[in-house]
Amino acid sequence: MTENKGTIHVIDDEPIIHEVLSQLLTSEGYDVELSSSGEEALEKHSSQFFDVTLLDLLMPGLDGIEVLKGIRKVDPQAIVIIITAYASVESAISAMKMGAYDYIQKPFKHEELLIIIARALEHKSLRDENIRLKDELSRRYGFDNLIGQSQPMQKIFDLIRATAPTRSTILIQGESGTGKELVARAIHQNSERRHFPFVVVNSGSLPPDLLESHLFGHVKGAFTGAVSQKSGLFETADRGSIFFDEISSVGLETQAKLLRVMQDKEFMRLGGTKTIRVDARIIAATNADLEELIGRKAFRQDLFYRLNVIKIELPPLRERKDDLPLLVNHFIDIYSRENKKEIEGISDDVLEILEGYDWPGNVRELENLIERAIVLSKSKLITRNTLPPFLLNRRPESGDIPAAEAGEQGFKDQIQDYQKKVILNALRRAKGVQKKAARSLGLKPTTLNEMIKRLKIDVESLF
Ligand SMILES: Nc1ncnc2c1ncn2[C@@H]1O[C@H](COP(=O)(O)OP(=O)(O)OP(=O)(O)O)[C@@H](O)[C@H]1O
Ligand SMILES: [Mg+2]
């Protein structure tokens, strides 16, 4: 007896085909299951698993295409080979479009059928292996939704693991799009607090007064428009975590109040007299250099010390390019599912282009780029023609700064010059539309606008 090479499900209404195929396939070492109608076949698929299914398209009763649909519904990964009469190749092709693996025309040589089956099984084992590897990768290199195999990211995972269970305040520092919010969520998820709220404070988008009433709540009549009393985000975050999305954008006065809450763990609603106790863990993120802000008296030093108990510094993507392949695959998974496309990966030359780029917008920029490529992609592989033109037209060394220029300037000036160049290029490409330029860089429009002001970029000079 030969070893079992897999189970083949034959769906055909002709008894003679059943007889011939079951003899042929059994002698080749396959297990065979026979069905005479679509109804019978679907019934079996709902409870059994088959390695390959041979499906005759022309059967009385349930139409072959309907059977294919039904099979793919219960087992989206099923490998179905269509058997078709010479006259109906067109319906075989439409079956292929619906996810059939291959088709074979009647009458066929036995040899021909065996080759198609062998190829299908090989395809299946490769695919299963791929899925297994991906699972293993995400178990080894993932932390909640955070991906990274690079040394710096592995260190970040260790830090999260070590600090999550504590009550300590955490300051997360990193450029825009490096994953600060994702880290904050991972900390919350890996602490006892995960059963309680994770509250995000988008401090940058609110004027100071409004921010304070959001944070601390207010009593009726505390200010014009306070028609009823309202609890604040701190109360919502009780026993959970409160995440300050960009702590540097909190005004000095509110900083003072924040410091008090951190020290006393209690506060009053705006206009209120009752003290409210809360137990909320504070996690703050910033993309600014807080120490520099302290120097300019734009940030309170005492608050900084309070926040900076544990610092997590997220490295920019350009310093951990060995994470690119994993991140690319991760986003391909997400966005091909979302767009219902079967995309397996990227071509080697595309990966090379991605590796040669500096990613000023970090992971967010990469994520946007992959999403765009998936939407545009017409094949199973992401190729060059789905990349934005500016990436294709870059000369590989254009990221380098000429040595003479570099030698004469300090580190910070060089970085600033470089940032200016990147932003100017993006603005030029976006024809001056800041929102568009921000998107292409993977920055929030407010962040870009802030950088344009800080770097004193003369937008008018572009045109
Ligand atoms: N290591 C990572 N693995 C997987 N996805 C990531 C990773 N880092 C960032 N991302 C994704 O990139 C995007 C940006 O991440 P996030 O919002 O956490 O960045 P951020 O540092 O808070 O940015 P900003 O300063 O602009 O607010 C998100 O969609 C996030 O899911
Ligand atoms: Mg953020």
Side-chain angles (χ1 to χ4, degrees), residues 3 97 104 162 306 328 363 367 409:
E3 56 162 329
K97 284 193 183 136
I104 184 165
R306 274 268 165 188
V328 166
V363 186
E367 181 172 356
Q409 280 178 303

Side-chain angles (χ1 to χ4, degrees), residues 123-139:
H123 168 82
K124 178 175 174 291
S125 82
L126 268 178
R127 191 190 60 195
D128 291 352
E129 175 68 4
N130 236 328
I131 293 172
R132 196 189 59 75
L133 278 177
K134 266 193 186 152
D135 273 4
E136 193 185 310
L137 272 182
S138 71
R139 237 175 299 122

Side-chain angles (χ1 to χ4, degrees), residues 30 69 81-83 94 127 143 212 223-224 277 281 284 303 306 363 367 391-392 412 425 446 452 454 463:
Y30 296 112
K69 268 194 205 160
I81 297 169
I82 302 293
I83 301 177
S94 60
R127 191 190 60 195
F143 199 95
E212 285 189 18
F223 49 85
T224 341
R277 287 199 71 81
R281 180 191 208 169
L303 179 62
R306 274 268 165 188
V363 186
E367 181 172 356
L391 261 184
L392 297 174
K412 276 201 170 159
N425 277 335
T446 46
I452 288 175
R454 183 159 49 83
F463 306 98

Side-chain angles (χ1 to χ4, degrees), residues 405-418:
E405 192 183 329
E408 290 154 13
Q409 280 178 303
F411 179 71
K412 276 201 170 159
D413 287 342
Q414 282 186 51
I415 299 285
Q416 288 203 351
D417 269 6
Y418 186 67

